[in-house]
Amino acid sequence: MRRTYFFTNWNMKRKILAVFLPLLMLSTLLILVSSISLIIRNGKAEALNNAKDKLSLVTGQTDQILSNITYNIKAFSTSSALQDAIRAEYPDNNYGNYMFSSTMHNAVHNIMEIQSLISSGYIHTRDGRVFDIKTDEIRTPDAEMDARYREIAAEKGRILLEYPADKSGAAALTVSKSLIDIRSGSCLGILTFDIKESLFYDSYHSVSDEENECFLLIDSAGTIISSENRDELQTTASPEILGLLEGMGKPEQKTQYKSGGKIPQETTAEHMLLLSSETENGDYLVVYMMRYYRIYKEALNLALFLLIIGILVLAAGVLLSSRLAQSIVGPVIRLADYADEAGKGNFDLPVPVHSGDEIGFLAERFGVMNHNIKELTTRIYNEQTQKKEYELKMLQAQINPHFLYNCLDNISSLITDQKNETATAMVSHLGRYYRAILSKGRNIITIREELELIRAYLEIQLIRIPDLFTYEITVDEDILDFKILKMILQPIVENSVIHGFAGFKNSGRIKIEGTLENQTVCILISDNGKGIPEGSRSSIFAPAPTAIPKHFGLKNIQERIRLKHGEKYGISIKSEQGQGTQIEVRFPKTL
């Protein structure tokens, strides 16, 4: 009875731990011991199989690169455009050299993908001209080039893969071939290209672990022509790696083919495992090097992973007991957090508690309340938006007819004065202006369309009052197709013309600049007009009790931008009386 009483007085967390933790610990220990022994036993074999798979993959990619090189060189050497360019006769002067260079350039750059394969190269024609593929330069061959010409021409069209002449490491090998005339069979010249080392480097760099693995490409002379260790390029391989080359060229020791891939040869070095596989042409050896540390590291990592899982299982047991102890307090805390988020305006969050008890009923009522608040907020926002659009239409209803009547009067006067060309221009600008204003009923247009509206307006004003001002629009091309609220910029420009230049006869200047700064579009409109008096400037954004305040245009622009994009955007004004005005409009980038 005493034991029962003692157990009964424990709290819930201690009871659960006393029952479940010993069981969890025993089962976890048994699983860890058996799993770790199995992983260590099989880790090396699995790591070796992965290494062989990687070597087979890289060898296949290397063979594909060599095959592509051979194919492109054959196609290049038999190109009719190239052979026609070499056979053509050119004057022995600067003009002839220019014609030869231009013809060769056009022929070379229209052939296949040869430019993506080579780092440098030249074509040596039979008439003693050497054309550089990369620079289009023409030079006279020296004695070494002539000797090279005779050597390659003697191969009668056979492709030669050789050690590169470029010692910088940019080239992995040099490909040479004589150009055989497809008409007569005679030798038109030779080509010698240095193949990019990066082609091979890219084929294995993405699949290797740089810390513990390394791939090498070695030629039959034992020279490293491609390696992840860039300092090894164009150096002689180590004795252990050179031992892998002993079987190359011996039929009884050549790598066999099985299931579509070559069986890698395996050897060992100090702290390293070496695997190698020959390319299909047998001239190159792909070597895979892996530290033994990695083999055991992977096994130990898996064992550590299981150990962590065991610890997590134990931790989960402890957490479950704590969860049970908090089964009543927890839902209340989550509901309090849910109410806090709703107070911040996050009304779309799901109700965090779903249960059939009283707390679940309370949570359901919270959800209904948030839904109602969201609908009310949305309705208020829509009403504010409609109000701003209504105010904009009121402004346009006041401004546009008056502007139209003045323009029509001006057109009538121009026609009466027989200035038909000027009248035609004004009609054209007026049409563009109202086409942009209407914009098929859209309230959101592109910056390009808004600038077109401004240009039409300014051109009309310059026809009405010639020489009153000049204007300049320098807006980055990258932002012209971004979206903007209609009639945001035009009223500002109109203020500059009507109010800024009031009393001016000439010398007015308007400048419009547009850039993109950290995903924010910045439009700066400046003029050298009369400026805004201090008293008027301070009252522009002040609340107005009447329907349409004095500075309705600027205030309306500010409110429309902030209603659409938030309080961090809008317009800012800098003005000095008698010096001019600068107004910056800022809104987010929108495609």
Side-chain angles (χ1 to χ4, degrees):
M1 293 294 293
R2 291 180 63 186
R3 292 180 181 177
T4 303
Y5 179 78
F6 177 74
F7 187 78
T8 303
N9 283 279
W10 282 4
N11 59 39
M12 186 65 68
K13 182 176 181 180
R14 293 181 64 186
K15 289 179 181 179
I16 294 175
L17 290 175
V19 173
F20 289 104
L21 282 185
L23 295 176
L24 288 173
M25 293 177 65
L26 180 60
S27 59
T28 302
L29 181 61
L30 291 174
I31 293 173
L32 285 176
V33 171
S34 59
S35 299
I36 291 174
S37 61
L38 181 63
I39 289 171
I40 293 178
R41 188 185 315 124
N42 297 329
K44 181 177 180 180
E46 184 177 354
L48 288 176
N49 288 334
N50 289 338
K52 291 176 181 179
D53 289 342
K54 287 185 178 182
L55 180 60
S56 298
L57 173 63
V58 173
T59 302
Q61 292 175 337
T62 302
D63 285 330
Q64 183 63 44
I65 293 172
L66 292 172
S67 176
N68 288 343
I69 292 171
T70 302
Y71 173 79
N72 280 279
I73 292 300
K74 288 180 180 178
F76 188 88
S77 64
T78 57
S79 166
S80 58
L82 177 65
Q83 294 204 359
D84 289 343
I86 296 175
R87 279 194 297 263
E89 296 183 359
Y90 305 95
D92 189 14
N93 52 32
N94 291 336
Y95 178 68
N97 288 338
Y98 169 76
M99 292 179 60
F100 174 73
S101 175
S102 176
T103 306
M104 290 292 289
H105 174 86
N106 293 333
V108 168
H109 287 266
N110 289 329
I111 298 174
M112 311 289 292
E113 300 177 357
I114 197 66
Q115 291 293 326
S116 65
L117 299 176
I118 66 174
S119 60
S120 62
Y122 65 88
I123 297 176
H124 185 170
T125 65
R126 63 186 176 185
D127 59 356
R129 297 176 191 257
V130 176
F131 175 75
D132 192 296
I133 295 294
K134 288 294 185 180
T135 64
D136 291 348
E137 294 180 354
I138 302 173
R139 62 180 184 273
T140 303
D142 54 24
E144 183 179 351
M145 285 184 173
D146 287 334
R148 183 72 174 151
Y149 180 92
R150 292 189 295 270
E151 178 184 346
I152 297 173
E155 296 294 332
K156 298 181 179 180
R158 188 168 70 91
I159 296 177
L160 303 178
L161 302 178
E162 302 170 298
Y163 183 77
D166 182 2
K167 309 300 182 184
S168 66
L173 53 95
T174 295
V175 180
S176 303
K177 185 183 182 301
S178 58
L179 300 171
I180 304 302
D181 193 330
I182 57 178
R183 299 178 183 175
S184 64
S186 61
C187 181
L188 293 174
I190 67 167
L191 58 85
T192 298
F193 294 156
D194 290 331
I195 303 301
K196 294 179 178 178
E197 186 272 339
S198 60
L199 294 174
F200 301 97
Y201 176 80
D202 293 340
S203 70
Y204 54 72
H205 180 66
S206 61
V207 301
S208 68
D209 178 3
E210 295 184 16
E211 182 178 353
N212 299 298
E213 296 177 323
C214 182
F215 281 95
L216 307 175
L217 182 61
I218 303 173
D219 63 15
S220 56
T223 302
I224 300 174
I225 62 174
S226 181
S227 172
E228 288 185 278
N229 185 353
R230 316 308 285 168
D231 295 333
E232 292 181 345
L233 295 177
Q234 307 297 337
T235 63
T236 303
S238 64
E240 292 84 2
I241 297 176
L242 292 177
L244 298 172
L245 295 172
E246 295 179 358
M248 293 181 64
K250 300 178 181 179
E252 67 277 5
Q253 296 182 6
K254 272 200 171 182
T255 308
Q256 300 177 12
Y257 288 83
K258 193 173 186 179
S259 301
K262 296 182 177 181
I263 302 175
Q265 297 181 9
E266 179 180 342
T267 187
T268 58
E270 185 178 3
H271 308 302
M272 297 290 292
L273 171 70
L274 301 180
L275 299 176
S276 66
S277 180
E278 295 180 27
T279 58
E280 290 185 359
N281 63 12
D283 292 335
Y284 300 95
L285 190 70
V286 181
V287 178
Y288 172 87
M289 304 173 64
M290 178 174 61
R291 298 179 184 273
Y292 279 119
Y293 167 75
R294 184 195 174 190
I295 296 176
Y296 298 108
K297 178 183 176 182
E298 291 184 356
L300 292 175
N301 285 341
L302 288 173
L304 179 61
F305 177 71
L306 287 177
L307 179 61
I308 293 174
I309 289 178
I311 294 174
L312 290 176
V313 169
L314 293 176
V318 177
L319 290 176
L320 286 174
S321 65
S322 299
R323 185 70 175 176
L324 183 60
Q326 298 293 329
S327 60
I328 297 177
V329 178
V332 176
I333 294 175
R334 292 198 300 275
L335 280 178
D337 294 338
Y338 178 68
D340 289 341
E341 290 297 323
K344 298 176 183 177
N346 297 328
F347 301 116
D348 294 324
L349 294 176
V351 178
V353 178
H354 300 279
S355 62
D357 55 15
E358 290 77 3
I359 296 179
F361 177 78
L362 178 63
E364 182 182 348
R365 295 298 93 197
F366 264 88
V368 173
M369 179 184 68
N370 274 356
H371 176 74
N372 293 337
I373 293 175
K374 179 184 176 182
E375 286 189 345
L376 178 61
T377 304
T378 302
R379 184 166 65 251
I380 293 173
Y381 173 82
N382 292 335
E383 289 175 355
Q384 289 179 341
T385 302
Q386 292 174 0
K387 176 184 176 183
K388 292 301 152 190
E389 296 301 329
Y390 173 70
E391 290 176 347
L392 175 63
K393 291 177 181 179
M394 287 181 61
L395 177 64
Q396 291 177 332
Q398 288 185 350
I399 295 175
N400 292 341
H402 180 69
F403 177 73
L404 176 63
Y405 299 152
N406 288 340
C407 290
L408 292 176
D409 287 343
N410 279 274
I411 293 170
S412 175
S413 299
L414 290 171
I415 294 174
T416 302
D417 295 340
Q418 296 185 353
K419 297 180 180 180
N420 295 335
E421 292 184 1
T422 305
T424 301
M426 193 167 187
V427 170
S428 175
H429 291 309
L430 186 63
R432 287 167 50 205
Y433 176 79
Y434 275 95
R435 187 183 303 113
I437 285 182
L438 296 174
S439 60
K440 299 181 180 180
R442 293 175 291 137
N443 288 327
I444 298 178
I445 61 177
T446 64
I447 295 177
R448 188 189 306 277
E449 292 174 308
E450 182 79 357
L451 293 177
E452 184 68 18
L453 169 66
I454 291 173
R455 287 192 184 93
Y457 172 78
L458 293 176
E459 291 296 333
I460 291 172
Q461 294 295 349
L462 286 174
I463 292 175
R464 295 178 59 199
I465 313 174
D467 301 324
L468 175 62
F469 61 87
T470 59
Y471 70 91
E472 178 184 0
I473 301 177
T474 56
V475 176
D476 291 349
E477 288 288 334
D478 295 340
I479 71 171
L480 289 178
D481 293 322
F482 293 164
K483 300 299 184 183
I484 186 175
L485 292 168
K486 185 171 68 176
M487 292 290 287
I488 288 294
L489 305 180
Q490 192 274 342
I492 300 175
V493 174
E494 186 171 342
N495 281 345
S496 294
V497 175
I498 295 176
H499 303 296
F501 299 148
F504 278 38
K505 294 183 178 180
N506 51 38
S507 301
R509 294 192 308 273
I510 297 176
K511 187 172 183 180
I512 304 173
E513 303 170 88
T515 57
L516 181 65
E517 300 177 1
N518 298 324
Q519 304 301 309
T520 298
V521 178
C522 302
I523 306 293
L524 182 64
I525 301 174
S526 57
D527 64 60
N528 64 338
K530 297 166 60 177
I532 303 174
E534 178 69 26
S536 298
R537 194 161 66 245
S538 60
S539 64
I540 289 178
F541 302 119
T546 57
I548 301 181
K550 180 178 181 180
H551 300 287
F552 173 78
L554 294 179
K555 182 179 179 182
N556 178 271
I557 293 170
Q558 179 83 303
E559 292 181 354
R560 288 177 68 210
I561 293 176
R562 291 187 172 179
L563 186 62
K564 178 71 175 177
H565 302 297
E567 292 295 321
K568 62 184 291 188
Y569 302 102
I571 65 175
S572 59
I573 302 173
K574 293 181 181 179
S575 181
E576 286 189 38
Q577 198 162 359
Q579 299 296 320
T581 302
Q582 285 188 345
I583 298 180
E584 184 180 44
V585 184
R586 298 174 66 86
F587 53 91
K589 166 188 172 182
T590 307
L591 295 176

